[in-house]
Amino acid sequence: MTPPQILCLAILALTLLLLVTEWLRSDIVAMLALVAFVVTGVLRPEAALRGFGSEPVIAVVGAFVLSAAVVNTGLAEQFGRGVSRIAGTRVVWALAVLMLAAALLSALTHHLLITALMVPIATGVAQRGEFPASRLLMPVSLAASIGTTLTLIGAPAFLVADHVLQEAGREGYGIFSLTPIGVALVAFSLVYMMLPGRWLLPDRTAGGGANGRRFALDDYYTELLILDGAPQAGLAYPAFVERYRDRFEVVDWLRRGDPIRHALASRTLEAGDVLLVRSTPQGLADIADEKGLALHAVAKYGEPGDANATDRFGEERLTQVVIAPHSWLVGRAVSAIDFRRRFGVIVVGLWRRDGWVRGELASAQLRAGDTLVVWGEPEQIAALGAQREFLMALPFGAQRLRRSRAWWALGVLAASVVAAATELLPVHIAFLAGAIGVVLARCLSAEEAYAALELRVVVFIAGALALGAALEQTGLTTLAAEAFAPLLDQFSPFWILVLVFGAGAIVTQVLSDAATVVLLAPIAARMAQPLGVAPEALVASLAIGAVAAFLTPLGHHGNLLVYGPGGYRFGDFFRVGAPLTAAFAAITAFVALRLWPGA
């Protein structure tokens, strides 16, 4: 071996050790490896840094921003609510609907985001059907992972695989090149989980009881004011309730301080009416985008113009505080405390573990443990945590959605996909243009776009590509291919692809899917010609093995999201996933050989 090869192997070994043990963050490890390659002379600086301007990194940046636009405009939420209604209460039907929805969404957005979105939906479906959520949560995580195989941009690993093929002198993949394999995997996983797989799922309830839901605040009470000139004025009460049923539930209706509780079907709303509603955090934050509606407390007690200052209503002006057990606030009505004068904030919402709130929110007597949503200037919000009357101050867990820009976000996303699919633009340019498009269309601000970038992932991919470049430049990729190719030469092309899939599936349990592809894809591409297999088929099998392997909760972060809420144990994933992963290997090999039949 040459000195550069020995140095490269030493850096590679240390890098893998740090990644497996997680002593340092993966992005930091990637950067350390990059610097080490330059310092030791294995790579020139321009070669080491080329990953930051590479196609995979640019495509991932665009995909992150487009995903954020889908969430920020409420498209994902609307889709989720529709799925929840369709899912019903039967286990088999719910499995099919939730898994298909998760797979389709993950084809164009980050699978971890989709898993997080689907967890409360699946839990709600399970509660309505009176069966354990463990029957749904693992299949949802599985479907979100498998759904990434439907498009090239579904997972960073596929973008890296495409980059490796192009570096090897091949044309690379199109945005839908892997779709036939993905469709087959999604279809099989649906059948598997609906028939034999669901009997392998545990009937188990997550631990934690009520404590597990202490800060899952789903039922805030707040008051809405119908403003002068509001489009809701003159609207029939039943029509108003129907229009906003996905945002909030109307609990009480006050006119000039008097409740209206009779003949509601024949009455219409008027300016000045106050509605006591029960809403989610997201629904409460969304009120700023509703013309004609305002938070009653802000309009009544705030400074002139506050009620309509929607640009100042952001989540930074909202927080939630918990009433301490021995606070002097306990037993007093909200209106008797004068929160504006004492604390510089206005109470706009109330969450209570038990009990129902009717009448004006201002007349509600506070109890220990009540959680108040308060509105105020950022400096006043920051000072609340030091007040002895409150047990703790918590960030308000919602952001204002730009629902009016939803169709713009959908249109830009569709245009990006079409441009990439028709090869009008390269995939990375199409999605970079889409990212710029959703910002220009005001689906999210430039600051929100930057915040949506998971820089840890971007930096890791850029650094990991330097690792692949070092292996290639020192000739270690060729040496590894020459060593492994004779071992596989005795197998048929089908079994070669199965074994390569298995290698990706095993390595991804200790490394990320992108790192697995960076490490092994160059070797697979080099082995293809001696083995008589198309490089596209070999690299695709490896990448899908790294993405679709469902063996342990450590293989994908989505599994960790459902681990606690589903009450799962480590072995549950292997029991359900081992036969499924073996079937995936066979399906991938079978379809890949028909997509790319020869070298």
Side-chain angles (χ1 to χ4, degrees):
M1 275 194 176
T2 64
Q5 289 175 336
I6 295 172
L7 285 171
C8 185
L9 279 178
I11 295 171
L12 172 62
L14 182 58
T15 299
L16 293 179
L17 175 65
L18 291 174
L19 289 173
V20 171
T21 58
E22 297 184 346
W23 289 340
L24 295 173
R25 285 175 27 159
S26 58
D27 53 331
I28 300 298
V29 173
M31 288 297 97
L32 286 174
L34 184 152
V35 171
F37 286 133
V38 174
V39 170
T40 57
V42 173
L43 286 178
R44 294 178 62 83
E46 56 270 23
L49 295 173
R50 191 169 57 180
F52 284 96
S54 64
E55 294 180 9
V57 167
I58 295 171
V60 166
V61 166
F64 278 145
V65 176
L66 285 170
S67 295
V70 169
V71 174
N72 284 15
T73 57
L75 281 174
E77 180 192 74
Q78 291 176 34
F79 187 86
R81 284 175 175 158
V83 167
S84 180
R85 286 194 291 269
I86 296 171
T89 57
R90 294 175 53 213
V91 176
V92 175
W93 177 245
L95 270 173
V97 172
L98 293 173
M99 289 184 68
L100 187 58
L104 291 175
L105 280 175
S106 294
L108 295 171
T109 56
H110 198 288
H111 74 93
L112 189 60
L113 181 151
I114 298 307
T115 304
L117 172 71
M118 298 299 291
V119 164
I121 294 172
T123 302
V125 169
Q127 288 174 346
R128 291 198 302 273
E130 298 183 348
F131 54 83
S134 59
R135 288 293 193 94
L136 298 178
L137 291 178
M138 190 188 296
V140 162
S141 175
L142 163 69
S145 295
I146 302 306
T148 61
T149 63
L150 293 172
T151 65
L152 185 68
I153 63 165
F158 298 140
L159 295 166
V160 174
D162 176 62
H163 177 78
V164 169
L165 282 175
Q166 292 185 39
E167 290 290 303
R170 308 292 288 195
E171 185 177 346
Y173 299 120
I175 189 171
F176 293 121
S177 292
L178 303 178
T179 302
I181 301 175
V183 169
L185 297 182
V186 170
F188 182 83
S189 63
L190 281 169
V191 173
Y192 175 83
M193 294 308 306
M194 290 169 64
L195 296 175
R198 72 186 182 99
W199 302 112
L200 299 175
L201 291 166
D203 283 331
R204 199 173 297 134
T205 302
N211 292 333
R213 288 182 50 80
R214 176 62 185 88
F215 292 113
L217 310 184
D218 298 325
D219 297 326
Y220 283 103
Y221 290 94
T222 191
E223 291 173 347
L224 303 183
L225 173 68
I226 308 295
L227 298 171
D228 291 336
Q232 295 85 355
L235 188 66
Y237 178 78
F240 178 88
V241 171
E242 176 63 23
R243 177 184 294 183
Y244 294 103
R245 66 188 178 93
D246 287 337
R247 308 275 193 92
F248 49 74
E249 173 191 358
V250 179
V251 175
D252 214 350
W253 179 12
L254 305 174
R255 178 170 292 166
R256 290 180 287 278
D258 296 323
I260 299 176
R261 295 173 184 167
H262 302 288
L264 297 179
S266 61
R267 291 180 178 266
T268 58
L269 295 168
E270 297 179 3
D273 285 355
V274 175
L275 299 166
L276 179 67
V277 302
R278 190 165 62 169
S279 177
T280 64
Q282 190 63 67
L284 184 55
D286 282 348
I287 292 168
D289 283 336
E290 283 300 316
K291 184 179 180 181
L293 296 181
L295 292 173
H296 180 223
V298 175
K300 185 175 181 180
Y301 302 110
E303 298 297 332
D306 275 348
N308 294 311
T310 58
D311 59 321
R312 300 173 58 209
F313 185 82
E315 56 182 318
E316 74 280 356
R317 301 201 73 186
L318 289 172
T319 196
Q320 49 193 8
V321 291
V322 182
I323 304 299
H326 302 295
S327 171
W328 65 268
L329 303 176
V330 174
R332 287 177 167 81
V334 172
S335 60
I337 296 170
D338 194 353
F339 277 82
R340 181 75 180 213
R341 183 177 62 84
R342 290 181 180 274
F343 305 111
V345 296
I346 299 170
V347 176
V348 298
L350 167 68
W351 179 86
R352 178 167 289 169
R353 181 191 295 274
D354 300 306
W356 188 264
V357 177
R358 291 195 78 96
E360 288 188 297
L361 190 63
S363 64
Q365 290 191 336
L366 296 177
R367 304 175 186 174
D370 280 355
T371 299
L372 300 177
V373 181
V374 297
W375 181 95
E377 297 294 339
E379 57 270 20
Q380 299 295 339
I381 293 290
L384 285 178
Q387 298 290 340
R388 297 175 58 187
E389 288 77 17
F390 307 117
L391 192 61
M392 62 182 73
L394 302 168
F396 188 68
Q399 70 179 115
R400 195 175 72 199
L401 298 183
R402 302 170 183 241
R403 297 181 187 277
S404 62
R405 316 307 293 174
W407 287 108
W408 283 97
L410 186 60
V412 173
L413 177 61
S416 299
V417 172
V418 170
T422 59
E423 298 184 354
L424 181 65
L425 292 173
V427 173
H428 63 295
I429 298 299
F431 278 81
L432 182 61
I436 297 170
V438 292
V439 173
L440 293 177
R442 292 184 291 118
C443 299
L444 70 173
S445 67
E447 290 75 17
E448 289 169 331
Y450 283 118
L453 300 179
E454 293 191 35
L455 291 179
R456 181 172 180 171
V457 175
V458 172
V459 170
F460 174 76
I461 292 175
L465 289 176
L467 175 60
L471 292 173
E472 186 72 31
Q473 190 161 310
T474 58
L476 284 174
T477 298
T478 302
L479 286 178
E482 291 174 350
F484 287 115
L487 300 177
L488 297 175
D489 193 44
Q490 56 185 312
F491 295 100
S492 67
F494 174 83
W495 286 108
I496 290 173
L497 295 187
V498 168
L499 290 172
V500 169
F501 182 103
I506 293 171
V507 175
T508 200
Q509 303 307 310
V510 291
L511 298 179
S512 70
D513 50 10
T516 299
V517 175
V518 165
L519 183 64
L520 300 181
I523 300 173
R526 289 280 185 182
M527 290 193 304
Q529 187 172 3
L531 295 173
V533 181
E536 290 81 1
L538 212 57
V539 172
S541 296
L542 172 71
I544 293 175
V547 169
F550 202 77
L551 298 173
T552 72
L554 304 177
H556 298 285
H557 292 159
N559 295 349
L560 297 176
L561 279 181
V562 303
Y563 193 92
Y568 296 117
R569 297 170 185 161
F570 197 94
D572 294 332
F573 289 86
F574 187 81
R575 183 176 65 252
V576 174
L580 187 64
T581 301
F584 282 169
I587 293 170
T588 299
F590 180 83
V591 179
L593 285 175
R594 278 143 188 83
L595 291 174
W596 302 284

